[in-house]
Amino acid sequence: MSAAAEDRRDGRDDRQDRDDREEQYAFPVPPPGGWTADDLDRIKGLPPHTELIDGGLFFVSPQTFFHMAALRLLENALVRQAPDDLYVVREMTTKLGERDRPEPDLMVVRERALGGPEQTWYAPDDILLAVEIVSDESVQRDRELKPRKYAAAGIRHFWRVEKNDGLPVVYVYELDPATHSYAVTGIHHNRLKVDVPCPIEIDLTDVERRRGTGD
């Protein structure tokens, strides 16, 4: 085979590879005005945990061990300690409005809000607590944008979880009904202890335990 033929064959292979990659990673084109919250259930091929904020789609990067371990610690503690009329929801969306459907890492919702195995979102009126574990790729959204939207939607309690020397620090907020914004009520190192939305106590140094067997 001649060098020219080899080059042409390689060129076709390169083009085919590019075409395959473009097809594999093709993203949906938004309609005029952007996507709506209801569209999130209809768009085909979205990566898991896609969020809708201000009509735009946000995709989740691979998470770190800290994010996984902190999420497991908080979820296990909330499941054990929450009263029977509340339910702990992991990585599901809330529909805040026509163009906003974010996905908190954890939510505590009223049991009455459970709608069956096909349910994909919860209304803010049924959410007592939203929790965000801050990731490197979503710092601004987790610290500023999403909390502001949760507060505007009337979600009364919000926890923001940050990493400090490998351990979680939990910033606890409560909604000020006069300003419709969050006010910080505590910054918890090593141990989280709160009375609202229900009594919860968590040993934050347990984040590296292999099993969620203790608070």
Side-chain angles (χ1 to χ4, degrees):
M1 180 182 293
S2 68
E6 184 72 24
D7 289 342
R8 286 195 297 274
R9 190 193 70 179
D10 290 345
R12 287 196 298 273
D13 289 345
D14 290 344
R15 287 193 298 273
Q16 184 63 49
D17 288 344
R18 286 196 299 271
D19 291 343
D20 290 344
R21 287 196 299 270
E22 288 174 359
E23 182 176 352
Q24 180 180 359
Y25 297 111
F27 295 114
V29 177
W35 302 105
T36 68
D38 291 332
D39 289 331
L40 206 58
D41 289 324
R42 298 192 286 257
I43 306 171
K44 296 185 181 298
L46 288 180
H49 309 300
T50 298
E51 299 182 284
L52 181 76
I53 299 176
D54 291 329
L57 300 176
F58 288 82
F59 308 112
V60 177
S61 299
Q63 294 296 346
T64 62
F65 175 84
F66 171 80
H67 189 281
M68 178 278 298
L71 179 58
R72 182 170 60 185
L73 173 70
L74 297 175
E75 179 186 21
N76 287 342
L78 286 167
V79 168
R80 286 192 299 270
Q81 299 180 42
D84 292 341
D85 61 340
L86 301 181
Y87 197 84
V88 181
V89 177
R90 173 175 176 159
E91 297 172 320
M92 290 185 66
T93 58
T94 173
K95 191 182 293 185
L96 303 182
E98 184 180 9
R99 291 163 53 83
D100 287 301
R101 193 168 155 187
E103 182 182 295
D105 288 304
L106 289 170
M107 294 184 286
V108 175
V109 304
R110 294 181 174 86
E111 189 177 31
R112 71 188 187 199
L114 303 182
E118 304 305 317
Q119 184 172 3
T120 59
W121 59 274
Y122 292 88
D125 288 347
D126 289 316
I127 301 169
L128 277 71
L129 169 68
V131 181
E132 293 287 357
I133 301 170
V134 176
S135 300
D136 290 342
E137 54 89 22
S138 60
V139 170
Q140 185 178 16
R141 295 198 302 276
D142 294 338
R143 288 179 178 173
E144 301 176 19
L145 182 57
K146 292 168 73 174
R148 187 168 67 247
K149 289 181 177 292
Y150 295 154
I155 297 175
R156 186 172 178 184
H157 300 281
F158 172 68
W159 296 355
R160 190 184 87 241
V161 183
E162 303 266 0
K163 181 177 66 174
N164 182 39
D165 292 333
L167 295 178
V169 177
V170 182
Y171 295 76
V172 174
Y173 298 85
E174 187 168 347
L175 185 67
D176 181 341
T179 63
H180 303 287
S181 61
Y182 285 129
V184 64
T185 60
I187 302 174
H188 299 259
H189 301 257
N190 297 325
R191 182 168 292 275
L192 168 66
K193 185 176 182 179
V194 296
D195 294 323
V196 289
C198 59
I200 296 289
E201 187 170 357
I202 306 173
D203 183 352
L204 300 175
T205 66
D206 274 351
V207 70
E208 294 182 351
R209 290 171 62 93
R210 291 188 178 183
R211 298 178 183 174
T213 55
D215 293 340

